[in-house]
Amino acid sequence: MDSKKFYITTSIPYASRKPHIGNTYEIILTDAIARFKKMQNFDVCFCTGADEHGQKIEELAKKSGVSPAKYSAEISNIIKNIWELMDCSYDVFIKTTDVNHVEAVQQIFKKLYNNGDIYKGAYEGWYCVACESFWTNSQVGEGRCPECQREVQKTKEEAYFLKVDRYTDRLIQHINENKNFIVPNFYAEEIMNNFLKPGLQDFCISRSSFSWGVKIDFDPEYVVYVWLDALINYITALGFNLNTPSEKFNRFWPADLHVVGKDILRFHAIIWPIILMMLGLPLPKQILVHQWLLYKSGKMSKTTGNVVYADDLSRFFSVDAIRFYVLKAMPMSHDGSISYESIISTCNTDLANNIGNLTKRVCDMIYKYCDGVIPNSEYVKDEYDVGGVTLGAFKKYCECMEGYDLSEAIMQILNLARYCNKYVDETMPWALAKDENSKSALNRILYNLAEAIRFISTMLFPIAPSTAKNILKQVGAENFSFESLNSFGGLQPGVAIKKPEVLFSRIDASKKLEEIYNFNS
Ligand code: MSP
């Protein structure tokens, strides 16, 4: 294959409960990056899935009176359906109960045990069921998990450990030498200062107090700790197996980008690279750490009743509006927030009044003044320099997308649309249309606007795919490609445009909030 490959993954959410919009943000973000890379002609492999094992799932299944296998399979289906509803174009959906995955986890465990990278010892400490994490005495202030603040359980038992000391120096060196291994970079410092520099403890990777997990086949009283099991998904999703080579694995590993939330970075930046070193496999090229989406300013939680789900949102807003909203709402450096009021405001301000209004008014004028076909016009640079501004916006957009700052990339699209709206207001094509002598100026302005709209729709494609397609059709074009944005003027004159439609109608905020309120109560 001649095109460059790009292997991108999401974390695999626990199949314990239906994922909320925060978990769903991650797949939307990853999907937008994957689509962007495809448009840059990368041969993309995009994997996601569900983390089906662990004590929490076993307990929830018991409460529901079903087997953990049935319980987790049902939730995995729900996860998959939400991912599909959100128009996420993944290639592989892996489940940690998949036979190939289970077999590979067992093989890997045995191999590392035989190599001396895993040993059996005694474990004494604290365990947080919710986070499936072990903590030491010093880490649990007043019996609470340092991660989620829930109560932890005292645990003492024989267990298997990952012997990390042999690999710590290499990992420190790797992080120091690869400045973009973890982005945003301040997270690399956090990993270094909070975990690596103080020294790592050997990592407990087995449990015996419950059974819903991958059995350690040579010691079947134990199951593999859920995090070790889950991390291995990144290679088994490509068909990795120690016995049989997988073409897909050879083609796509190492991962180009693991997308993870900030709370699970330490597993991805420490444990996962160490496991890969132990296996003699190359490390992922980059880990993108995203922030959290909060409801207003608080953490979404079942107990406070402020959990927002993507499928519920889709009753009130289009899928593309949800995608657009969450990607815009989440900056790279701090948490983002979601509220129904701000979704409505984004729909009205950015989609209806800015992008939608621009497309509708320009297409209406082309319909009215140019017989519904793209007018013929050479690009002449005038005081507005729409061509230069559009090319500049595309360049900045690409820089933002390459740096995975999607919120900023969206701002570039919105700025361009705003500029074009201003261009319409100031050049007043409707006034020019009254004067036969201004025909060439009118054609030039409408051509520039239609061409800028083509750029806007192409840039919007990774973020809001169906909407972008509709906008592109409005200006009579069909195919998206970044190559076609190398110069301004690609739109074919003489091509009939689609009859202008309202792409986004304005939402009546109080009516919509009432509908949502009635649904939620
Ligand atoms: N199963 C593990 C991941 C294993 S990957 C080898 C897990 N699952 S999770 O369901 O708890 O979280 C899945 C992802 O959702 C994580 O990246 C987590 O950071 C992310 N989020 C959880 N709550 C979130 C928000 N409120 N906002 C954004 N992302 C959030 O951890």
Side-chain angles (χ1 to χ4, degrees):
M1 227 176 274
D2 42 16
S3 61
K4 268 177 75 184
K5 66 96 185 169
F6 193 81
Y7 177 34
I8 180 166
T9 66
T10 66
S11 72
I12 48 171
Y14 290 121
S16 50
R17 290 191 200 284
K18 173 168 147 173
H20 55 55
I21 190 68
N23 313 121
T24 311
Y25 161 76
E26 184 173 303
I27 184 101
I28 296 174
L29 169 67
T30 311
D31 183 63
I33 298 171
R35 285 179 188 268
F36 175 77
K37 288 289 168 188
K38 275 182 205 159
M39 284 181 74
Q40 288 186 317
N41 295 327
F42 279 87
D43 172 21
V44 174
C45 179
F46 169 12
C47 293
T48 183
D51 192 351
E52 291 204 344
H53 290 130
Q55 187 170 358
K56 191 169 166 191
I57 292 171
E58 189 178 89
E59 283 171 5
L60 286 166
K62 205 168 170 189
K63 269 193 210 151
S64 315
V66 293
S67 68
K70 184 155 189 273
Y71 183 92
S72 61
E74 271 170 18
I75 305 281
S76 284
N77 254 340
I78 294 175
I79 297 174
K80 209 170 171 187
N81 288 339
I82 293 185
W83 283 190
E84 276 161 23
L85 176 68
M86 289 296 112
D87 207 1
C88 293
S89 56
Y90 62 81
D91 299 295
V92 180
F93 189 95
I94 184 163
K95 301 194 292 175
T96 50
T97 48
D98 289 346
V99 176
N100 167 62
H101 173 82
V102 170
E103 211 179 273
V105 171
Q106 288 176 327
Q107 289 172 349
I108 289 170
F109 200 98
K110 202 181 292 170
K111 179 173 171 157
L112 300 190
Y113 182 73
N114 291 340
N115 288 354
D117 287 323
I118 289 179
Y119 67 93
K120 199 171 186 180
Y123 180 80
E124 193 170 355
W126 300 91
Y127 188 66
C128 171
V129 177
C131 296
E132 307 270 9
S133 291
F134 294 99
W135 302 104
T136 58
N137 270 336
S138 60
Q139 287 169 315
V140 294
E142 291 162 23
R144 302 223 158 241
C145 168
E147 196 73 60
C148 71
Q149 314 308 323
R150 289 188 183 85
E151 257 179 51
V152 285
Q153 299 168 4
K154 182 115 194 149
T155 332
K156 186 180 177 190
E157 62 180 39
E158 274 204 303
Y160 287 88
F161 290 86
L162 205 57
K163 197 166 160 35
V164 293
D165 53 351
R166 268 192 255 174
Y167 300 91
T168 322
D169 287 347
R170 244 177 88 190
L171 181 58
I172 292 177
Q173 193 184 349
H174 184 84
I175 295 177
N176 281 335
E177 283 173 3
N178 296 275
K179 289 291 171 215
N180 286 326
F181 180 53
I182 303 170
V183 282
N185 300 132
F186 59 83
Y187 281 116
E189 278 164 45
E190 202 178 287
I191 288 290
M192 209 53 124
N193 296 336
N194 297 356
F195 297 98
L196 293 173
K197 282 192 186 149
L200 292 178
Q201 292 195 332
D202 287 349
F203 190 64
C204 182
I205 46 158
S206 69
R207 294 299 286 159
S208 61
S209 56
F210 64 91
S211 59
W212 180 235
V214 175
K215 288 230 163 347
I216 299 177
D217 49 0
F218 59 88
D219 199 351
E221 263 178 49
Y222 291 87
V223 290
V224 175
Y225 174 48
V226 69
W227 266 102
L228 182 71
D229 170 8
L231 288 165
I232 291 172
N233 98 83
Y234 297 126
I235 52 178
T236 53
L238 298 175
F240 177 84
N241 185 297
L242 282 173
N243 301 333
T244 20
S246 146
E247 235 173 72
K248 205 168 180 177
F249 176 78
N250 291 339
R251 163 97 180 121
F252 284 104
W253 192 258
D256 294 273
L257 192 66
H258 287 318
V259 180
V260 302
K262 57 183 175 180
D263 55 317
I264 59 169
L265 173 63
R266 63 197 169 98
F267 297 104
H268 288 82
I270 300 172
I271 305 300
W272 182 224
I274 288 181
I275 295 166
L276 289 166
M277 286 180 202
M278 289 172 171
L279 288 170
L281 293 173
L283 305 194
K285 293 191 189 145
Q286 206 169 42
I287 303 169
L288 171 64
V289 189
H290 65 76
Q291 303 288 325
W292 272 38
L293 195 55
L294 308 175
Y295 180 75
K296 296 196 172 162
S297 56
K299 200 174 163 183
M300 278 183 248
S301 98
K302 268 228 165 291
T303 38
T304 40
N306 60 3
V307 187
V308 179
Y309 298 103
D311 54 339
D312 288 347
L313 281 177
S314 75
R315 294 168 188 267
F316 307 106
F317 305 98
S318 72
V319 165
D320 276 358
I322 300 168
R323 291 175 59 111
F324 182 92
Y325 174 80
V326 292
L327 292 174
K328 182 177 173 234
M330 194 77 115
M332 279 190 100
S333 57
H334 55 90
D335 288 339
S337 116
I338 185 168
S339 71
Y340 299 112
E341 292 81 354
S342 65
I343 304 179
I344 295 170
S345 145
T346 295
C347 287
N348 284 342
T349 313
D350 298 334
L351 298 177
N353 291 355
N354 193 0
I355 297 177
N357 185 36
L358 174 71
T359 311
K360 179 74 167 56
R361 69 205 291 219
V362 168
C363 291
D364 274 343
M365 288 191 284
I366 293 177
Y367 230 71
K368 209 159 149 193
Y369 308 137
C370 310
D371 301 321
V373 297
I374 298 293
N376 204 342
S377 171
E378 292 258 299
Y379 183 68
V380 185
K381 186 171 160 180
D382 59 11
E383 60 181 307
Y384 294 96
D385 190 19
V386 177
V389 170
T390 305
L391 287 169
F394 176 54
K395 187 165 173 266
K396 279 196 206 134
Y397 160 90
C398 287
E399 284 162 8
C400 297
M401 291 295 286
E402 300 270 8
Y404 309 126
D405 191 343
L406 274 80
S407 179
E408 248 329 288
I410 289 175
M411 293 316 289
Q412 303 308 321
I413 303 175
L414 292 174
N415 288 345
L416 177 59
R418 222 170 283 128
Y419 189 83
C420 290
N421 270 317
K422 190 171 143 241
Y423 181 57
V424 176
D425 295 342
E426 291 181 8
T427 55
M428 297 191 290
W430 52 89
L432 297 175
K434 288 187 188 137
D435 175 4
E436 201 40 48
N437 293 331
S438 303
K439 186 75 184 154
S440 75
L442 174 71
N443 282 353
R444 195 183 70 234
I445 291 165
L446 292 181
Y447 180 88
N448 288 349
L449 286 162
E451 174 66 345
I453 291 172
R454 185 178 72 90
F455 270 71
I456 288 173
S457 64
T458 309
M459 292 191 265
L460 200 59
F461 180 71
I463 291 143
S466 310
T467 302
K469 274 185 208 150
N470 286 340
I471 298 175
L472 194 68
K473 272 193 205 141
Q474 287 283 286
V475 290
E478 268 179 6
N479 296 320
F480 289 111
S481 88
F482 283 155
E483 283 96 18
S484 76
L485 305 192
N486 281 339
S487 59
F488 190 83
L491 205 52
Q492 280 300 309
V495 171
I497 65 162
K498 199 174 160 218
K499 196 166 185 307
E501 285 167 9
V502 175
L503 293 169
F504 314 95
S505 18
R506 269 191 70 82
I507 298 174
D508 178 330
S510 50
K511 236 167 134 184
K512 185 65 88 182
L513 287 172
E514 197 182 324
E515 270 176 55
I516 297 170
Y517 178 80
N518 289 339
F519 173 79
N520 283 342
S521 52

